[in-house]
Amino acid sequence: MAEEDDSSLLVLLVETHARLWSMLSPEQSAGSSQPPALSGTGYLTQVLAFVNTFLMLNEANRVAIFATDTADSHLLYQSPSLQNPTGRKRPGLVPASAAAETLGHLVTLLEQEPSSTEPQPGPVLSAALSRALCFIHKAQHGAAAPSKDRPRPRILCLHGSPDEPSQYIAIMNAIFAAQKHEVVIDACMVADVDSAFLQQAAHLTHGVYLHPTKRAALLQHLLSVFMCDTFSRSFLRLPKATGVDFRASCFCHKRLIDLGFVCSVCLSIFCQASSECTTCGTSFVMARSPASKRKAVSPPS
Amino acid sequence: MALDPGADEERDTPLLVKRCMCMLPDKRKVPGVLTLSRLHIQWLPNNPATAQPLKLATSSIAGALQRAKGKPMVRIPTVPDAAIFELECEADRDAVVELLQPVVAQVQAKGKQVAGAAPRLHQGPDAARKQALLTEHKDLGAVYQQLVLSGLLTEAEFWASRMHLLRAGPPGGTRQQRSGISSAMLAAGQPTADGRVDRVTFQLTPDIMRQIFMEKPHVQRAYQDNVPHKLTEKEFFQRYFKHQLVKQMEQRRQAAGGAPAHSAEDEDELFSQRQGDAEQLQREASARIKRVDPTVNVAADTYDALGEGFGLPGKESGASTQQAAPNSLFQDLNRHGAVVLDGAGDVLLANQATATEVAEAIERARQARQASARNGSGGASSSQQAWQRRAGSALEDLRSAATGDWAELNIKDPRRYFDTASASAGGTPAAAQTPAAGGPGGGDRQSVLAGLRQAEAQGRPDPIIPPRAAAEVLQELSQAEARQDELAAAAETSLLAPMQASLRQTAMTCNELLRHFWSCFPANTAARQDKATRLQKALTDQYRTTETMVGQAIGTDRTMISGLMRPVQQALDAAFDKYDGEQAQWRASKRHAAMPATQPISQRPTLPA
């Protein structure tokens, strides 16, 4: 590999929420040759194949994999050089064990997960994003290499569950932090639903939001769209977002709203007009509109 | 969304059809048929070979219709020249005139209105800037022309969303610079003498007056106390300069080593500094010292006081009198420096011509400064903190511009904020939307685990994805890309330039209208509802325009135009949906408001079903 090639530091957020398995198609028997849809096992094995390919593409590529769960995000794998940034680089090290190591951790994780029938809260995407950002920050600043030689950071969210409006603020904060640190957030939806939050994340950080139609061949989508580094993307015709769902969720009830009220001081979003901002305490003195004055003066007609 | 595509056609339906002769410019009379509609006057010759058909727009009628006496003729004055028709009888002629008269009146009234409205354009302080923007940005001008001049939007509404353009100021940057004061001190108040006559002349300009009053508050006070009831302005300044002259000569004599010829009658008591003056100056000085950044306040406290031995060969005798003279000079110098540095305040920017005005303005400024100093004394600690922060880093202008300031997240009442958040987070709608874990038809964790174990033991399936599926994906990705760019590129090459321009214009108009439409929500006042209704009607017209554009095009142009206009139409549809939904709500709320029992039933507004 030539030295001047751009390398990437990819943080992969793989959703392993219990609800996701039910949204994907049931497992196929080994004999059937044509999978009609993406199954849970297919999803994970294809992601692992993508990781292996990614690591083999460029020797300097780094990867960290987090599993996003109900309450936590678990580190499944990180490239050896990320663990020991100051250690000497061993040229020609084949990272073939990455997929195997990840698979082992995944199995352990799924075994440990308590199986409960009661409905659980959605995956903590906000926490996973924050953790990924912290991880990237640590890796970038701990690295001995000068800043121009450091791998370009990027987060790829493989997500299937619908948005949790309660995580809106945290996710937006993570997006803004990523924007500030020039971390690209990509998103690939593996189930039927679209995610407004991830659309906004990709839009704001100049990433790619992909909701593939033929999800059975997820690996091909991943290889075609998310494999190359962020610099090379400018030469490629990547799928453009047809539109971004810019809806926000209100701070008061965490509802997804398209029209709302915004505090003029702290820009908090509310679904109902109120006399006081619950975030910053600003009281809104409502000037009486001419219409209401008229109403007050003249008898109701 | 119910559209009425026939509105224009309706206006163009024939209202009256009469047999008539048309007088051609060469005085020939050609028989034909006259057809009148609201928009057009059309005449067709019976024999197409005899004359050209005539079609006039009613809007082109330039004056009143003229009837001929005794003959069934009518002259219709249009812009290039008049059309003269001879009908079969006077009754027919009168019918034509009666029909046309209101249309003509309407057209003329509209013309007057437009002519009257033109000078009222661009009101307010930014009028020139607005005009410049409209001429500079052609697109903006076109949208303005279409929406504001046609009365769809008001001037204020149009500019409300473009305040940033107005605020940016003219590109040339004619911002007025703060004017300062001349730092030349000694030139002011220097006498000129021609040497022949024993007379010295002082030149006095408003600037010099201002300088005197600002640097010598006691002179200003004397002026305000004595002018005009005791002295005239001229007398006052004569006395002042005489006093100055005496003082200067005294100083010169002292410098030459002469004995001080100081006597009571030489000193004009009018200009003597009072006891309080020095203290007042001292107070002001110490207040200023407090306002000065302590990090650069190098020995500011030493102020004017100059001890012995500052380049002054101190003589044992008369040291006290000698010291007084330089001290007063240094005081004057410092005072002058302070005044120049303070600059001419905003109050002094206006040109005050007379000494009285100058004196009053200075007095006002001084009082304002004192008031603000009194108010600002409480904030000393915060400014101290700011100085310390600044001193901790570097001098401000040596640093690059701050890239981003971190604002502290200040939640006023955390308990209340987080309580509402957690209370509402309990019943997340997302949880209800999705099927429960392990529901029918879906896989579950156990099967995934089994699949993974199998993969761990036996290796992953080979191939991981079927090649055919992969090929399909590749094809889809590349084709989708091609399709997206194809349309725009093809449209650019194959559509005619005027067509492109009109499409662009329509799209821009729609965007502008939509922006105003959406800003009407939440429509909680009657005014907003009215505006939304008004804009919805305008949007309906635009929708019709896009449909006609698509409808009129043929062949490949049609697909291209429809493809280009689709986003606009989708946006319009979204607006119409919103409007319909809102309208239902307004009706419901109106019905609700109309319900109270106090209201007489007869007065209840009739509601559309």
Side-chain angles (χ1 to χ4, degrees):
Chain A
M1 278 290 151
E3 285 293 315
E4 59 265 26
D5 267 3
D6 267 358
S7 56
S8 301
L9 164 58
L10 177 70
V11 177
L12 209 59
L13 302 182
V14 184
E15 189 191 336
T16 57
H17 192 263
R19 200 193 294 152
L20 179 67
W21 310 132
S22 62
M23 294 170 75
L24 298 174
S25 79
E27 298 299 321
Q28 304 287 314
S29 61
S32 73
S33 60
Q34 274 199 338
L38 188 65
S39 69
T41 319
Y43 158 59
L44 291 174
T45 48
Q46 291 186 27
V47 168
L48 293 179
F50 168 71
V51 170
N52 262 357
T53 322
F54 176 77
L55 286 173
M56 280 189 277
L57 186 70
N58 187 338
E59 196 194 355
N61 274 352
R62 303 280 171 268
V63 74
I65 307 171
F66 287 94
T68 316
D69 212 336
T70 313
D72 210 349
S73 63
H74 310 270
L75 180 63
L76 297 179
Y77 174 78
Q78 59 174 327
S79 296
S81 69
L82 291 172
Q83 279 170 318
N84 184 15
T86 49
R88 278 190 61 226
K89 212 159 103 180
R90 280 179 292 165
L93 179 75
V94 181
S97 59
E101 199 183 324
T102 314
L103 188 59
H105 280 126
L106 260 177
V107 171
T108 334
L109 183 70
L110 289 178
E111 276 169 349
Q112 283 169 354
E113 198 177 274
S115 59
S116 62
T117 48
E118 64 201 45
Q120 291 169 329
V124 281
L125 178 63
S126 55
L129 274 176
S130 307
R131 197 169 168 197
L133 285 169
C134 290
F135 186 89
I136 288 172
H137 186 78
K138 193 176 151 202
Q140 295 290 83
H141 288 260
S147 61
K148 70 174 171 58
D149 294 340
R150 283 179 205 157
R152 303 284 172 91
R154 152 161 90 96
I155 298 174
L156 171 56
C157 302
L158 292 160
H159 210 71
S161 298
D163 287 333
E164 293 287 320
S166 60
Q167 295 177 9
Y168 173 71
I169 302 173
I171 288 179
M172 286 316 285
N173 283 338
I175 292 172
F176 293 139
Q179 206 182 18
K180 203 172 170 64
H181 289 273
E182 294 176 358
V183 176
V184 173
I185 301 180
D186 296 325
C188 180
M189 302 306 289
V190 294
D192 286 328
V193 288
D194 265 314
S195 162
F197 294 166
L198 286 173
Q199 279 181 5
Q200 293 182 35
H203 175 78
L204 289 171
T205 59
H206 305 293
V208 178
Y209 175 87
L210 185 71
H211 192 183
T213 44
K214 297 188 171 67
R215 286 189 289 278
L218 177 71
L219 178 63
Q220 189 57 49
H221 282 285
L222 294 176
L223 292 176
S224 317
V225 179
F226 299 110
M227 181 58 81
C228 65
D229 56 87
T230 48
F231 177 68
S232 312
R233 278 186 186 181
S234 52
F235 307 109
L236 295 177
R237 273 181 165 187
L238 293 173
K240 290 185 203 98
T242 43
V244 179
D245 188 349
F246 280 115
R247 279 181 303 169
S249 60
C250 67
F251 286 27
C252 44
H253 304 89
K254 313 291 173 201
R255 284 187 209 132
L256 214 57
I257 53 171
D258 51 359
L259 267 175
F261 299 85
V262 176
C263 171
S264 50
V265 176
C266 67
L267 303 181
S268 300
I269 304 161
F270 302 101
C271 59
Q272 296 158 348
S274 64
S275 59
E276 201 189 19
C277 173
T278 52
T279 312
C280 67
T282 309
S283 64
F284 306 121
V285 184
M286 294 288 183
R288 281 171 88 195
S289 64
S292 67
K293 253 183 215 164
R294 236 180 286 126
K295 211 181 279 172
V297 174
S298 64
S301 56
Chain B
M1 185 57 234
L3 282 176
D4 180 12
D8 267 12
E9 286 159 34
E10 204 174 286
R11 297 183 68 201
D12 212 13
T13 45
L15 300 171
L16 187 76
V17 182
K18 292 281 175 200
R19 253 176 230 286
C20 90
M21 312 254 266
C22 179
M23 186 103 79
L24 295 179
D26 53 3
K27 305 283 177 197
R28 269 193 304 143
K29 284 185 184 173
V30 182
V33 177
L34 182 70
T35 313
L36 295 181
S37 74
R38 259 180 228 287
L39 293 177
H40 292 108
I41 304 165
Q42 194 170 15
W43 176 80
L44 292 169
N46 288 347
N47 182 356
T50 50
Q52 288 286 323
L54 194 68
K55 193 172 183 182
L56 300 169
T58 49
S59 57
S60 69
I61 299 176
L65 304 177
Q66 293 164 354
R67 293 180 234 211
K69 259 182 202 164
K71 284 185 205 164
M73 287 175 77
V74 60
R75 184 173 179 275
I76 302 172
T78 55
V79 174
D81 61 343
I84 302 166
F85 297 109
E86 185 177 343
L87 288 115
E88 286 182 326
C89 61
E90 286 194 30
D92 278 1
R93 195 263 320 264
D94 290 345
V96 168
V97 172
E98 267 169 39
L99 194 77
L100 278 178
Q101 214 112 45
V103 179
V104 172
Q106 210 177 347
V107 166
Q108 282 171 351
K110 205 182 266 176
K112 259 181 215 151
Q113 200 182 355
V114 169
R120 289 192 293 108
L121 288 178
H122 310 312
Q123 296 156 340
D126 294 320
R129 175 90 188 117
K130 285 175 184 171
Q131 187 55 50
L133 274 174
L134 289 184
T135 41
E136 196 179 325
H137 302 289
K138 284 218 176 65
D139 291 344
L140 196 65
V143 174
Y144 183 87
Q145 195 89 26
Q146 192 159 7
L147 296 182
V148 181
L149 295 190
S150 65
L152 280 175
L153 293 174
T154 65
E155 167 109 14
E157 281 169 358
F158 181 79
W159 289 110
S161 57
R162 294 187 170 72
M163 288 313 270
H164 60 285
L165 289 176
L166 295 177
R167 228 178 281 134
T174 57
R175 253 185 120 75
Q176 207 174 20
Q177 197 183 3
R178 205 165 68 110
S179 63
I181 298 173
S182 158
S183 63
M185 176 198 180
L186 299 173
Q190 280 297 323
T192 52
D194 59 1
R196 279 174 295 178
V197 195
D198 185 19
R199 192 164 73 180
V200 287
T201 314
F202 286 90
Q203 202 189 4
L204 193 64
T205 66
D207 277 342
I208 296 174
M209 262 191 281
R210 184 177 302 157
Q211 199 175 0
I212 292 169
F213 285 156
M214 285 186 82
E215 292 181 15
K216 301 190 167 87
H218 59 279
V219 179
Q220 189 214 351
R221 198 170 332 99
Y223 179 89
Q224 283 190 317
D225 288 348
N226 296 305
V227 180
H229 39 275
K230 286 189 193 155
L231 298 167
T232 65
E233 193 180 324
K234 196 178 171 188
E235 282 168 356
F236 177 84
F237 279 105
Q238 274 174 351
R239 272 181 79 173
Y240 170 71
F241 285 118
K242 208 170 148 190
H243 167 76
Q244 284 295 105
L245 206 58
V246 169
K247 224 168 113 187
Q248 280 173 8
M249 283 160 76
E250 177 77 8
Q251 278 172 2
R252 264 181 227 150
R253 200 178 307 136
Q254 279 191 17
H262 200 73
S263 61
E265 54 263 31
D266 285 342
E267 184 75 40
D268 196 333
E269 80 284 350
L270 194 60
F271 303 110
S272 63
Q273 293 199 12
R274 278 189 231 149
Q275 193 57 41
D277 280 351
E279 284 170 20
Q280 171 69 24
L281 281 176
Q282 195 74 39
R283 249 200 318 276
E284 273 184 26
S286 58
R288 193 178 300 118
I289 287 169
K290 264 187 207 139
R291 268 183 280 134
V292 170
D293 186 342
T295 52
V296 296
N297 180 14
V298 184
D301 285 316
T302 54
Y303 190 48
D304 302 328
L306 270 174
E308 285 181 75
F310 195 84
L312 296 168
K315 282 184 186 168
E316 287 303 310
S317 63
S320 62
T321 52
Q322 275 217 341
Q323 198 187 328
N327 260 2
S328 76
L329 176 63
F330 287 125
Q331 260 168 15
D332 285 351
L333 269 175
N334 279 337
R335 176 76 196 151
H336 175 74
V339 167
V340 170
L341 284 180
D342 273 353
D346 291 337
V347 272
L348 298 179
L349 281 178
N351 279 327
Q352 292 104 4
T354 68
T356 318
E357 281 170 2
V358 172
E360 277 170 2
I362 291 171
E363 186 61 31
R364 272 201 304 278
R366 180 170 298 135
Q367 277 166 5
R369 207 164 48 232
Q370 277 169 5
S372 70
R374 269 198 299 279
N375 294 339
S377 59
S381 62
S382 68
S383 56
Q384 292 265 352
Q385 280 177 3
W387 293 331
Q388 278 165 7
R389 244 203 326 274
R390 200 166 63 217
S393 50
L395 281 178
E396 223 172 17
D397 50 350
L398 296 181
R399 257 188 331 192
S400 59
T403 45
D405 286 331
W406 299 99
E408 200 178 340
L409 174 63
N410 185 11
I411 295 180
K412 196 81 173 176
D413 185 357
R415 208 182 319 130
R416 200 171 131 214
Y417 174 73
F418 286 111
D419 280 356
T420 51
S422 60
S424 51
T428 47
Q433 283 168 12
T434 51
D444 63 4
R445 189 167 56 91
Q446 290 307 326
S447 57
V448 175
L449 195 54
L452 285 184
R453 283 214 183 95
Q454 195 186 355
E456 203 176 13
Q458 301 170 3
R460 288 183 291 282
D462 185 25
I464 297 177
I465 46 171
R468 194 187 297 162
E472 277 173 12
V473 168
L474 266 181
Q475 202 172 3
E476 184 190 286
L477 279 174
S478 49
Q479 274 180 357
E481 281 321 296
R483 224 178 296 131
Q484 273 179 358
D485 292 344
E486 218 170 49
L487 187 65
E492 206 165 304
T493 51
S494 68
L495 279 184
L496 291 173
M499 190 63 196
Q500 283 186 42
S502 81
L503 286 174
R504 198 173 130 74
Q505 174 68 34
T506 312
M508 276 191 310
T509 311
C510 286
N511 276 342
E512 180 70 22
L513 283 172
L514 282 168
R515 202 174 295 136
H516 285 279
F517 176 79
W518 286 104
S519 71
C520 293
F521 297 103
N524 43 13
T525 61
R528 281 189 177 177
Q529 291 182 6
D530 288 350
K531 191 179 168 192
T533 311
R534 185 158 53 90
L535 287 168
Q536 193 263 349
K537 284 199 183 105
L539 285 171
T540 313
D541 288 344
Q542 289 297 328
Y543 194 90
R544 217 171 277 147
T545 316
T546 57
E547 280 205 330
T548 11
M549 275 180 162
V550 175
Q552 280 172 353
I554 33 169
T556 50
D557 281 10
R558 188 181 182 124
T559 49
M560 243 172 249
I561 292 172
S562 72
L564 287 173
M565 280 287 129
R566 196 170 297 130
V568 176
Q569 288 189 332
Q570 281 170 350
L572 287 172
D573 281 336
F576 294 146
D577 286 347
K578 174 75 185 173
Y579 181 78
D580 291 346
E582 286 284 319
Q583 214 181 19
Q585 278 186 18
W586 297 341
R587 278 191 202 138
S589 65
K590 258 191 208 162
R591 201 174 290 139
H592 191 70
M595 283 316 252
T598 52
Q599 201 172 7
I601 290 168
S602 58
Q603 279 186 15
R604 199 174 286 174
T606 49
L607 293 165

